[in-house]
Amino acid sequence: MSIFITPAMVGQVVISGLLAGALYSMVALGLALIFGVMRVINIAHGTILMLGAYTTFWWFHLLGINPYLSLLASMPLMFLLGLLLQRTLVTRVVDAPELSSLLLTFGISIALVNLAQLTFTSDLRSVEFLTGAFLVGPIALSKSRLISFGFAVTITLLAFWFLQKTKLGKAIRATSQNSEVAMICGINVPRIRLYAFGIASALAGAGGSLVAVIFAIQPEMGQVYTFKSFLVIVLGGAGNYPGALLGGMLLGLVEQLSSLFLTTQLSEAVAYVLLVLVLLLRPTGLLGGRAR
Amino acid sequence: MRKALLAALVIGSILLALYPMVATGYSIRFMLQLFMWVALAQSWNLISGLTGYVSFGHVAFFGTGAYTAAILVTTHAWHWAPASLTGGIAGVVLALIIGYPCLRLKGPYFAIAMLGLNEVMRVLVSYFEGLTGGGLGISLPILYASVQIYYAMALAAIAVTVTAYLIISSRFGLRLMTIREDEIAAEAMGVDTARYKLYAFLLSAFIPGVVGGLYARDQGYIEPLSVFPLLTTVTMIVMALFGGKGTVWGPVLGAVLLFSFQELVWARFLYLHQILFGAIIVFVVLIMPRGILGVIQQRYHLSRSL
């Protein structure tokens, strides 16, 4: 625990917070997409992130190719997995009470995590690539985090461009505003749900690949990301896609700033207190959302 | 039908009460753990089965109760029975802190808050080393009390099942089930939904706390990983779903079937066993949402409180 807090230290944590926050934003955007289009909270979102992380680990371990290129494998693979899950399982509970979709995705998550335990073992794995940091004045920037930040921002911007400009993206936004009206306008809603789940899973997979280069990974890592992604959605306002960006940055900042005053061990507890406080004081999210 | 069930219950209870006199150590421990799972699955049923609000972190109350009781027993030399009851109260206090903000809202807020709670409690318990021993855990003084704890666990299982029966056959239960079926309609009919959800949640947190305390005494040693495992929550959920959520006897049936199966066959294959649990959840939600007992009730037109 530190007693003296210098401006350089504050600068350091603000930058670390933004670097971490971009990753949270990207992953949470996926969860927000699924929630927006189907009103389903996908408990298995973090599990898909974990599978993306293992894709990168094996890519690097077996092929020895630059781990960032594994995004080309993890994103399509998780996209396909998302399609499969939506097509075979999730689609059956979209219109059922919330309990069904929560329990269903929880069951999927438990099965996949343990399948990973069985096949990959529960050992901690890491991708040793780009260790070290750039020094800018008194501030140290971890190379892997900086590059991950760049990828996360690029992928998130692409996703937003897709949502704003393409026909499919507009159909997704229309469906999340009102699926019945969208259907009347001739949008094939089940198909949109399928794509939304696939794209969301690809975003989670990309998150996993970028996380794998920074931290050690293991099969149970996903649950924390499901929780944090949800917290980001709550911060930004449910159903509010730009809100997810703000929420992610904010979560990254709060976590890093709290590490100035508390130990990093407690950062998870800080995120939790933040969730309870927001639900207590401003349950519509900071930017205001819909569908409570 | 009702009389036959009552007679079976009385005979069953007498047999279970006399059981420790003839049984060996292993079979007593088997039954003791079975009672524990009945109590836990039934507790989960009180909030999630009745109101439809899914608790993904019920083990947090179990762990909190275990730590409360263990600390009282070791540093304050309490007897395990009042210590476990205090563990239950600790569970209720924690439920109040989480339930008040999260249950006022509709939607998945509660479920996700509970998903995170378990992790946070584990972090906190590991962090406050002075009180909890951190990662080293707490060793309780040696005591041979398996038979007494057998009775205490049985009492906990009976207490929570009787509570479920009383709730399901009362107006309070009807209000909870109205919330589950259609919360907006429930509000329109004048049900104070936030308040009743909170009551159900507080009730559902007490027994896991007590059972956690008894577990700590029975095991003689606890550490953060042993009393806050996600698997315990998963097991409660699977048992209640498989037997039939929202019924009195469903969680009991689920606990008996799955625990026996687990002890006899699956405990040796940890991960396969958990993959199976995940698959059972998916299967029950998609194919058999009422669980085994629900299917039987529907086919033979039995009353809901059975």
Side-chain angles (χ1 to χ4, degrees), chain B residues 109-149:
Chain B
Y109 299 91
F110 173 74
I112 304 281
M114 290 306 295
L115 190 70
L117 182 62
N118 181 29
E119 292 292 315
V120 169
M121 289 309 294
R122 190 156 59 198
V123 168
L124 288 180
V125 163
S126 310
Y127 182 72
F128 290 104
E129 286 175 336
L131 194 61
T132 63
L136 292 175
I138 301 178
S139 295
L140 285 81
I142 292 169
L143 177 76
Y144 296 101
S146 279
V147 174
Q148 286 99 307
I149 291 172

Side-chain angles (χ1 to χ4, degrees), chain A residues 41 89 98-100 102-103 106-107 110 114-115 117 122 223 227 230 263 265-266 268 272 276 279-280 283 292, chain B residues 52 54 56 101 104-105 107-109 111-113 115-117 119-120 123 127 234 245 271 274-275 278 281 285-286:
Chain A
I41 287 290
L89 302 171
E98 201 161 73
L99 174 113
S100 305
L102 283 169
L103 283 172
F106 182 67
I110 298 296
N114 286 287
L115 203 59
Q117 302 260 30
S122 53
Q223 199 194 335
F227 175 73
F230 183 77
T263 67
Q265 213 188 344
L266 283 180
E268 240 169 78
Y272 197 81
V276 172
L279 290 183
L280 207 54
R292 323 244 111 205
Chain B
V54 196
F56 284 130
R104 292 184 310 159
L105 305 165
Y109 299 91
I112 304 281
L115 190 70
L117 182 62
E119 292 292 315
V120 169
V123 168
Y127 182 72
V234 178
K245 64 181 184 322
Y271 297 135
Q274 295 191 52
I275 294 172
I281 295 179
V285 169
L286 291 181

Side-chain angles (χ1 to χ4, degrees), chain B residues 121-226:
Chain B
M121 289 309 294
R122 190 156 59 198
V123 168
L124 288 180
V125 163
S126 310
Y127 182 72
F128 290 104
E129 286 175 336
L131 194 61
T132 63
L136 292 175
I138 301 178
S139 295
L140 285 81
I142 292 169
L143 177 76
Y144 296 101
S146 279
V147 174
Q148 286 99 307
I149 291 172
Y150 168 92
Y151 287 115
M153 284 286 191
L155 212 60
I158 292 169
V160 64
T161 305
V162 168
T163 307
Y165 174 79
L166 291 177
I167 291 179
I168 288 178
S169 50
S170 72
R171 287 182 72 85
F172 177 47
L174 282 178
R175 291 189 182 115
L176 296 181
M177 286 181 263
T178 319
I179 293 173
R180 179 183 70 197
E181 299 305 326
D182 191 334
E183 189 159 352
I184 294 169
E187 263 167 24
M189 289 191 295
V191 177
D192 186 348
T193 56
R195 174 191 300 201
Y196 289 113
K197 282 185 281 184
L198 190 60
Y199 288 166
F201 188 45
L202 298 183
L203 277 173
S204 81
F206 179 68
I207 288 291
V210 174
V211 167
L214 295 175
Y215 174 86
R217 177 59 276 176
D218 181 51
Q219 296 289 313
Y221 170 71
I222 59 169
E223 44 120 4
L225 286 175
S226 76

Side-chain angles (χ1 to χ4, degrees), chain A residues 119-243:
Chain A
T119 41
F120 306 145
T121 76
S122 53
D123 297 346
L124 277 175
R125 313 271 198 168
S126 56
V127 174
E128 305 273 328
F129 190 79
L130 276 188
T131 47
F134 301 113
L135 288 172
V136 182
I139 294 171
L141 294 172
S142 147
K143 286 179 188 168
S144 58
R145 289 185 193 216
L146 200 65
I147 294 174
S148 291
F149 172 81
F151 275 105
V153 169
T154 312
I155 292 171
T156 311
L157 288 179
L158 278 174
F160 264 91
W161 172 83
F162 168 79
L163 283 175
Q164 291 296 331
K165 298 293 176 195
T166 65
K167 211 167 176 181
L168 184 57
K170 285 177 183 168
I172 288 178
R173 283 191 299 134
T175 308
S176 63
Q177 276 173 12
N178 190 326
S179 61
E180 278 159 22
V181 175
M183 206 180 283
I184 291 166
C185 295
I187 292 173
N188 184 345
V189 169
R191 177 158 292 245
I192 293 303
R193 288 173 173 165
L194 194 63
Y195 285 135
F197 207 106
I199 293 166
S201 302
L203 289 172
S209 291
L210 297 179
V211 166
V213 189
I214 305 175
F215 302 109
I217 61 170
Q218 50 103 3
E220 286 179 327
M221 68 190 276
Q223 199 194 335
V224 173
Y225 286 94
T226 303
F227 175 73
K228 284 185 181 170
S229 302
F230 183 77
L231 172 55
V232 167
I233 298 186
V234 171
L235 282 172
N240 183 334
Y241 297 143

Side-chain angles (χ1 to χ4, degrees), chain B residues 18-77:
Chain B
L18 296 176
Y19 186 68
M21 296 178 187
V22 294
T24 58
Y26 171 78
S27 4
I28 290 182
R29 297 197 55 76
F30 178 87
M31 291 305 292
L32 181 158
Q33 290 181 50
L34 178 58
F35 290 140
M36 181 178 98
W37 286 113
V38 169
L40 291 176
Q42 190 70 276
S43 300
W44 186 84
N45 188 37
L46 287 185
I47 176 72
S48 301
L50 291 178
T51 68
Y53 275 73
V54 196
S55 168
F56 284 130
H58 238 59
V59 71
F61 306 125
F62 175 85
T64 305
Y67 264 96
T68 309
I71 290 167
L72 288 174
V73 167
T74 47
T75 59
H76 301 277

